[in-house]
Amino acid sequence: MSNALEDHVGTVNIGGRTITNLRFADDIDGIAGEENELSRLVNQLDRASTKFGMEISEEKTKLMTNEHGSITTNISVHGQNLQMVQQFKYLVAIISDQGSKPEVLARAAQTLTALSKLKPIWKDKNISVKCKVRLLRALVLSIFLYACETWTRCTAELQRRIQTLEMRCYHTILGISYLSHTSNDQVRTTIHQHIGLYDDLLTIVKERKLRWYGHVTGSDGLAKTVLQGTVEGRRRREGQRKKWSDNIKEWTKKTFVVTQALAHDRDRWRDLVHNSSRRHKKGTRRRRPYLTRPDPTRPNPTQPNLT
């Protein structure tokens, strides 16, 4: 890759750092600010690969843009034009120009398929509800939660779908028919009676995303640069696409500057994650207060006021 970038000048600048590519296990994502720049990058990478006896697979290589419209420049490998797509799957996750909605919907469908395959277990009366819930979390809900930290923005619609998916799973393992018109509160009460206080699926999604934000903010690498850096230009006034960090502001009720400062204090950030991920629902599990730890919601005379 260093040979391919020897004479290449990138135009994508984030936080003062020029980014031309992202390297994964055995794949490379080329990044360019203009179509001609991307075409040159592909050609240089193709020539450099040929020198080392490697080839770029034109069938697996796709083009994607974050602008409205399509790429008009013909970008080809081995004489074959690369295909322009709106979404593709990488490492079992769907990457789309529509955000994470296609990925969440696909995860929900895969979760329901796994739930259906285990019907003999859910109908077995010799297995306790507590054991069924454990199997549900290990074998079914884990499919839905895969890489949920990377979901761009969980809109109100997606949050409702997450809660609906969880209720459908609980209806199945409890053997409750929708014709019985059993309310969600009654279902949650039944689960609570068998396993005690628990975190619902939406709480887990929020908590994982907030923890990932704290992990990236406390580190010093490319992920932090992309997350906190800015790019040149202005966003259009209408129809703006939501950013990954929008959920952090929404859930914590704090500005980006404040969350960055709090993320460097592990104890305060841990408490903020716990409280912020559970604001959507009353009566969920509460953490025991630490007698030696100051309340993060109260001003601390030894710390600057970040609120």
Side-chain angles (χ1 to χ4, degrees):
M1 193 65 198
S2 58
N3 291 348
L5 298 174
E6 186 174 353
D7 298 325
H8 182 75
V9 179
T11 59
V12 177
N13 188 288
I14 302 179
R17 180 175 178 178
T18 302
I19 300 178
T20 58
N21 66 95
L22 299 176
R23 306 176 194 180
F24 300 93
D26 55 353
D27 294 279
I28 297 176
D29 286 352
I31 301 176
E34 300 176 356
E35 296 181 14
N36 293 332
E37 177 190 350
L38 181 60
S39 178
R40 292 193 302 271
L41 178 60
V42 172
N43 293 333
Q44 291 176 204
L45 181 59
D46 186 23
R47 289 194 295 268
S49 301
T50 303
K51 292 181 180 179
F52 291 92
M54 297 182 293
E55 292 184 354
I56 298 178
S57 175
E58 59 274 10
E59 296 180 0
K60 297 181 179 180
T61 305
K62 308 298 181 182
L63 301 177
M64 179 178 289
T65 177
N66 61 353
E67 295 286 345
H68 290 279
S70 60
I71 298 177
T72 57
T73 303
N74 291 330
I75 302 177
S76 61
V77 174
H78 304 150
Q80 182 174 346
N81 292 337
L82 299 180
Q83 181 183 3
M84 174 78 180
V85 296
Q86 294 182 343
Q87 68 179 34
F88 64 94
K89 182 174 289 189
Y90 181 73
L91 294 178
V92 201
I94 297 177
I95 301 175
S96 171
D97 60 355
Q98 301 177 8
S100 294
K101 183 176 180 179
E103 168 65 8
V104 175
L105 298 182
R107 285 282 152 195
Q110 295 173 21
T111 301
L112 294 177
T113 300
L115 180 72
S116 178
K117 291 181 179 179
L118 298 175
K119 278 186 178 180
I121 295 179
W122 314 137
K123 293 183 178 180
D124 193 334
K125 297 182 179 181
N126 295 322
I127 303 177
S128 65
V129 175
K130 184 176 182 180
C131 183
K132 289 180 180 179
V133 173
R134 289 183 177 180
L135 292 173
L136 176 71
R137 292 181 175 180
L139 304 177
V140 179
L141 296 183
S142 59
I143 298 175
F144 181 77
L145 293 173
Y146 175 81
C148 65
E149 300 90 346
T150 62
W151 294 349
T152 51
R153 176 171 165 82
C154 291
T155 61
E157 176 191 358
L158 291 182
Q159 293 183 32
R160 288 194 298 268
R161 287 178 178 270
I162 293 173
Q163 294 174 324
T164 301
L165 173 66
E166 183 182 27
M167 286 297 103
R168 184 167 180 178
C169 292
Y170 286 151
H171 273 81
T172 300
I173 67 174
L174 294 175
I176 300 176
S177 172
Y178 281 96
L179 299 178
S180 64
H181 301 289
T182 304
S183 67
N184 291 341
D185 290 337
Q186 291 176 317
V187 173
R188 294 190 183 97
T189 300
T190 303
I191 295 296
H192 168 68
Q193 291 173 350
H194 286 89
I195 67 173
L197 294 175
Y198 68 97
D199 290 336
D200 59 28
L201 190 59
L202 181 57
T203 295
I204 297 174
V205 172
K206 288 184 175 182
E207 190 171 50
R208 289 192 178 187
K209 188 168 183 178
L210 288 169
R211 284 181 177 178
W212 176 249
Y213 173 83
H215 172 73
V216 172
T217 302
S219 64
D220 187 15
L222 180 59
K224 181 178 180 179
T225 301
V226 174
L227 179 62
Q228 299 184 2
T230 58
V231 296
E232 297 180 357
R234 297 181 179 179
R235 302 184 73 189
R236 55 184 182 178
R237 296 183 178 180
E238 298 180 357
Q240 294 182 4
R241 295 181 179 180
K242 301 300 181 180
K243 299 182 294 183
W244 185 92
S245 58
D246 288 341
N247 278 146
I248 308 301
K249 300 178 183 178
E250 176 186 350
W251 295 338
T252 61
K253 307 298 182 182
K254 297 184 182 299
T255 63
F256 204 34
V257 176
V258 174
T259 54
Q260 289 181 38
L262 290 175
H264 288 83
D265 188 328
R266 292 188 177 183
D267 290 338
R268 299 184 68 186
W269 181 251
R270 188 183 298 111
D271 287 336
L272 181 62
V273 169
H274 180 270
N275 296 329
S276 300
S277 60
R278 289 158 179 79
R279 282 177 178 165
H280 68 279
K281 180 182 174 182
K282 297 181 180 180
T284 51
R285 184 181 65 186
R286 294 182 180 179
R287 176 181 296 176
R288 275 188 176 181
Y290 290 88
L291 299 179
T292 58
R293 180 183 300 171
D295 187 351
T297 61
R298 297 181 180 178
N300 188 344
T302 63
Q303 297 287 343
N305 186 7
L306 300 176
T307 59

